[in-house]
Amino acid sequence: MSLIRCRPPCASPMMADMATTRRADMFTADGRPSDDDPREHRLRLGDERVTLAEALRCLRLTLEIKCAGLDAQAMARRAVEPSTMSLLGLVRHLAETERATFRVLMAGQDVPRLFCSPADRDGDFDGAVPDPQVVAQAWDAWHAEVDFATRFVAEAPSLDITGHDPLNQHGSGGGLISLREVLTGMIEEYARHMGHADLLRERIDGRLGQ
């Protein structure tokens, strides 16, 4: 019985080029950490609250970085059909999520939604039109909600305080949810959407980020 040795096919020039080159990102030509990246300047070796808050802060910074230098037309440019997702839609969606999570769920405030309604549950993405005023309003809303959330977390007596989530809108299973769980959930929410933002930004102008 003879053994036949299989030889891997020769790599095409295109495949070889893809394996050996890397496009420059927003801060460095080689993709390594850079002092120009604001996310590199963070608190290290903190306690649980500091660690979670810093992780979320850096993800929020990533959203701003991904949108830097874009006009209203680019901000509202949608992903591949049938998706309605855009960078502007993400800003509006995350402002809505911050508000529902920290103001309503954790602080117990009775405030209206920013962009969505029972008649248009996807108003955050549907209303992301290429208008400079719409872009400015989205950023104003997002910054206001992030500022509130940051203060709330910093001033909370502990991460064990709870909000009531009877409809299971925040992953509680339909009951109480701790601030610790909320922060973990928000980190997950941003991390997922920053993957979307990577692709959206690259499609607009080819720009990448660490």
Side-chain angles (χ1 to χ4, degrees):
M1 181 176 179
S2 63
L3 296 177
I4 299 175
R5 288 191 173 183
C6 295
R7 188 173 57 180
C10 295
S12 68
M14 180 180 293
M15 291 295 291
D17 187 57
M18 288 174 63
T20 58
T21 62
R22 188 187 194 286
R23 289 162 293 176
D25 75 3
M26 290 182 176
F27 298 107
T28 63
D30 59 8
R32 294 178 181 175
S34 166
D35 285 340
D36 293 330
D37 187 338
R39 295 165 299 181
E40 295 297 333
H41 308 285
R42 58 190 293 185
L43 296 174
R44 306 284 183 179
L45 303 178
D47 61 14
E48 184 182 18
R49 188 192 309 238
V50 169
T51 300
L52 292 172
E54 281 293 288
L56 183 53
R57 184 182 70 85
C58 287
L59 286 166
R60 288 166 173 156
L61 269 174
T62 300
L63 176 65
E64 294 184 282
I65 289 168
K66 292 298 178 184
C67 298
L70 298 179
D71 61 16
Q73 194 72 36
M75 284 287 292
R77 182 174 178 180
R78 290 183 172 181
V80 178
E81 295 181 353
S83 174
T84 60
M85 189 173 293
S86 64
L87 287 171
L88 177 56
L90 286 178
V91 175
R92 289 160 59 95
H93 171 71
L94 289 167
E96 194 81 86
T97 303
E98 295 265 11
R99 185 178 183 86
T101 301
F102 292 101
R103 284 192 194 272
V104 179
L105 175 66
M106 297 306 300
Q109 294 186 6
D110 183 13
V111 294
R113 301 191 71 172
L114 292 166
F115 308 111
C116 302
S117 68
D120 187 1
R121 296 179 62 186
D122 294 323
D124 41 7
F125 289 105
D126 293 342
V129 297
D131 181 331
Q133 186 173 355
V134 173
V135 175
Q137 289 172 343
W139 281 120
D140 286 346
W142 182 78
H143 283 295
E145 298 309 321
V146 168
D147 287 347
F148 177 88
T150 301
R151 291 194 305 273
F152 182 88
V153 172
E155 296 170 3
S158 83
L159 298 183
D160 293 321
I161 65 169
T162 58
H164 189 39
D165 182 31
L167 300 180
N168 192 27
Q169 294 176 313
H170 301 271
S172 68
L176 297 178
I177 186 169
S178 69
L179 179 57
R180 179 184 295 102
E181 292 176 279
V182 160
L183 286 169
T184 302
M186 285 298 294
I187 290 168
E188 181 182 4
E189 177 81 4
Y190 270 88
R192 179 186 183 193
H193 287 311
M194 290 312 95
H196 297 143
D198 273 329
L199 297 176
L200 286 162
R201 182 60 191 253
E202 186 173 5
R203 187 166 184 261
I204 291 167
D205 60 7
R207 196 175 185 188
L208 305 176
Q210 289 172 277

